[in-house]
């Protein structure tokens, strides 16, 4: 059973960089056929796919967030990390990490989500 757990600060000040880590257990992030994704849900809005990192370390990002987003990984810790720079209150959301199957292009395992609030 694959499990994902987000961690990071729950409060970030405007203009700072939001940094979250997803720790994966029960499966390796280097396993073929999966992407490891970040998704967020602002209050009262739908889910927004932010970006992903593949089993080989390649990354892809939402065009609307690409200029501010970076996803990296630490294979020794089986973790991948999201950094979102120059945050504003509009970046307030519940942030999720998840695993996406390449064949299905659907997320099959999710973290529980972590609330991040951008406020001074």
């Amino acid at each position: 059973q694959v499990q994902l757990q987000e961690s990071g600060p729950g409060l970030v000040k405007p203009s700072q960089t939001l940094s979250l880590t997803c720790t994966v257990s029960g499966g390796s992030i280097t396993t073929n056929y999966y992407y490891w994704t970040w998704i967020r849900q602002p209050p009262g809005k739908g889910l927004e796919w932010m970006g992903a990192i593949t089993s080989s370390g390649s990354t892809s990002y939402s065009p609307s967030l690409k200029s501010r987003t970076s996803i990296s990984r630490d294979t020794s810790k089986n973790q991948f990390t999201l950094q979102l720079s120059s945050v504003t209150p509009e970046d307030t959301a519940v942030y999720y990490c998840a695993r996406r199957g390449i064949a299905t292009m659907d997320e099959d395992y999710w973290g529980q989500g972590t609330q991040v609030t951008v406020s001074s």
Side-chain angles (χ1 to χ4, degrees):
Q1 178 83 2
V2 176
Q3 293 183 318
L4 299 94
Q5 178 67 57
E6 306 90 351
S7 60
L11 180 64
V12 182
K13 295 184 184 300
S15 80
Q16 292 187 341
T17 296
L18 178 161
S19 183
L20 296 173
T21 296
C22 183
T23 301
V24 179
S25 59
S28 172
I29 62 172
T30 61
T31 300
N32 288 337
Y33 311 123
Y34 297 107
Y35 297 143
W36 302 90
T37 67
W38 285 100
I39 295 165
R40 68 180 182 179
Q41 186 168 30
K45 297 184 179 180
L47 295 171
E48 178 183 22
W49 183 85
M50 301 181 69
I53 189 164
T54 70
S55 58
S56 62
S58 299
T59 55
S60 59
Y61 302 107
S62 166
S64 64
L65 296 171
K66 185 175 183 179
S67 64
R68 299 195 293 129
T69 307
S70 177
I71 298 175
S72 58
R73 65 179 186 169
D74 185 335
T75 57
S76 67
K77 296 180 180 178
N78 215 35
Q79 296 175 333
F80 60 106
T81 299
L82 170 73
Q83 290 192 311
L84 182 67
S85 63
S86 305
V87 297
T88 72
E90 286 67 42
D91 293 309
T92 294
V94 178
Y95 285 77
Y96 298 92
C97 59
R99 189 183 80 169
R100 171 178 285 195
I102 289 177
T104 64
M105 293 305 286
D106 279 333
E107 279 70 26
D108 56 1
Y109 289 98
W110 293 71
Q112 66 182 23
T114 187
Q115 172 71 47
V116 178
T117 301
V118 179
S119 175
S120 56

